[in-house]
């Protein structure tokens, strides 16, 4: 009797496990078909403007200076894996029609283009500028004349900031950070020089802010018995949020950083 009961339980467990395997396989096949249907260029139903392009496991948005991001599909949900994870609910997806809801709840209706190459104008982020901005100021202290220089040098270090397209789609925009060279002279004698990157401000500016910001500007603001004073500006690209950091440098090469309140 015990043997029969055990065999019955074992059989039920095997059936249960087998059912889960089949369901998982079917779900994988369904998701693969959805990804296959997404491949190509998608146009807005009303304007006929290209909105996005799907190639492999990447989505390219028709947004200048943005970067492609990976995505995944599960059932009626599309997830973009950029700087931020964004979830879109799919209303309808076929080989030629794609309807989904933005985060704000707006319905976007697209249809597939017949031309994968010519209809979409995705533009890679522009290369950093070669232009170096030079600034200098003169201060008198203790009867001596000091000239402070600032050289704002564009770098190849990318800062990726999440944003939103006109259609309400999450997009990652690319900007380039700067490395700023500062130096102080008295006549022809160099008293101090140093390259300043935003990494040097990590113990002064909140890290979460710093990761999304660029070192945008620097000014020579004075000389006193404590040293040579500069003020750095760290800002979110295309935003209004900035931090100001006061730098005090000595002729010995030491630099103290203090957040300006």
């Amino acid at each position: 009797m015990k043997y029969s009961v055990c065999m019955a339980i074992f059989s039920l467990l095997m059936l249960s496990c087998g059912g889960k395997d089949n369901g998982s396989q079917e779900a994988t096949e369904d998701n693969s078909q959805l990804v296959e249907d997404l491949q190509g260029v998608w146009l807005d139903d009303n304007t006929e403007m290209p909105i996005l392009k799907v190639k492999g496991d990447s989505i390219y948005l028709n947004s200048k200076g943005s970067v492609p991001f990976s995505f995944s599909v599960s059932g009626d949900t599309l997830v973009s894996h950029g700087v931020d994870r964004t979830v879109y609910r799919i209303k309808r997806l076929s080989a030629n029609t794609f309807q989904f809801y933005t985060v704000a709840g707006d319905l976007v209706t697209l249809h597939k283009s017949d031309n994968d190459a010519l209809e979409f104008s995705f533009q890679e982020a522009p290369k950093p500028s070669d232009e170096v901005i030079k600034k200098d100021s003169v201060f008198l202290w203790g009867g001596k004349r000091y000239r402070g220089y600032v050289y704002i040098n564009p770098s190849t270090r990318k800062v990726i900031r999440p944003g939103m397209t006109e259609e309400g789609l999450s997009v990652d925009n690319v900007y380039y950070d700067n490395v700023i060279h500062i130096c102080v002279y008295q006549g022809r004698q160099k008293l101090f020089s140093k390259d300043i990157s935003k990494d040097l401000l990590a113990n002064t500016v909140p890290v979460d802010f710093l990761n999304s910001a660029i070192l945008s500007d620097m000014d020579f603001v004075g000389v006193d018995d404590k040293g040579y004073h500069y003020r750095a500006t760290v800002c979110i690209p295309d935003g209004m949020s900035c931090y100001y950091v006061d730098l005090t440098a000595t002729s010995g090469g030491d630099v103290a950083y203090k957040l300006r309140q």
Side-chain angles (χ1 to χ4, degrees):
M1 181 66 179
K2 290 182 180 180
Y3 175 79
S4 299
V5 171
C6 290
M7 288 300 295
I9 294 174
F10 178 76
S11 298
L12 287 173
L13 288 173
M14 290 299 292
L15 287 172
S16 175
C17 292
K20 289 181 180 178
D21 287 342
N22 290 336
S24 176
Q25 183 177 355
E26 290 175 2
T28 300
E29 291 175 353
D30 289 344
N31 293 339
S32 298
Q33 184 58 53
L34 293 175
V35 171
E36 181 63 29
D37 288 341
L38 279 169
Q39 301 298 308
V41 175
W42 293 90
L43 312 179
D44 183 271
D45 265 13
N46 297 318
T47 66
E48 293 294 320
M49 292 293 294
I51 302 300
L52 58 87
K53 179 177 182 177
V54 180
K55 184 176 181 180
D57 62 353
S58 296
I59 292 179
Y60 299 76
L61 295 181
N62 194 10
S63 177
K64 183 178 180 180
S66 66
V67 294
F69 50 84
S70 63
F71 74 96
S72 59
V73 180
S74 179
D76 65 348
T77 302
L78 184 148
V79 181
S80 68
H81 304 280
V83 173
D84 295 330
R85 180 179 180 273
T86 308
V87 177
Y88 303 97
R89 184 165 66 86
I90 299 172
K91 180 179 180 181
R92 181 184 178 190
L93 175 58
S94 66
N96 296 298
T97 301
F98 184 23
Q99 292 181 312
F100 63 93
Y101 292 95
T102 67
V103 176
D106 298 323
L107 179 63
V108 177
T109 301
L110 310 176
H111 61 276
K112 188 174 290 187
S113 168
D114 293 331
N115 190 328
D116 285 355
L118 301 179
E119 295 284 359
F120 192 77
S121 57
F122 172 80
Q123 295 179 336
E124 294 282 358
K127 300 297 182 182
S129 170
D130 294 329
E131 181 184 4
V132 177
I133 299 174
K134 177 184 175 181
K135 303 161 65 176
D136 68 277
S137 302
V138 176
F139 288 91
L140 296 176
W141 171 256
K144 297 179 180 179
R145 187 170 182 266
Y146 297 86
R147 184 182 292 272
Y149 294 90
V150 171
Y151 298 89
I152 303 175
N153 300 282
S155 75
T156 57
R157 180 175 180 176
K158 294 180 180 179
V159 174
I160 301 178
R161 182 190 177 205
M164 198 73 65
T165 67
E166 294 181 359
E167 296 78 24
L169 305 181
S170 180
V171 61
D172 289 342
N173 297 305
V174 176
Y175 302 87
Y176 291 96
D177 199 7
N178 298 306
V179 174
I180 300 181
H181 180 75
I182 59 176
C183 54
V184 179
Y185 281 78
Q186 184 182 334
R188 294 186 176 182
Q189 181 184 3
K190 182 190 293 185
L191 304 177
F192 169 83
S193 68
K194 189 176 182 64
D195 286 338
I196 304 296
S197 67
K198 74 174 185 179
D199 293 339
L200 297 176
L201 311 179
N203 294 326
T204 308
V205 177
V207 174
D208 289 344
F209 182 93
L210 198 62
N211 289 338
S212 299
I214 63 173
L215 179 60
S216 58
D217 202 2
M218 184 83 71
D219 289 295
F220 182 51
V221 295
V223 181
D224 59 20
D225 57 352
K226 295 181 180 179
Y228 318 117
H229 300 280
Y230 283 85
R231 182 164 299 148
T233 303
V234 185
C235 294
I236 298 295
D238 289 345
M240 300 298 292
S241 300
C242 296
Y243 277 95
Y244 301 94
V245 180
D246 288 335
L247 286 65
T248 301
T250 69
S251 56
D254 297 325
V255 181
Y257 304 90
K258 183 179 179 181
L259 190 65
R260 184 172 178 81
Q261 301 299 326

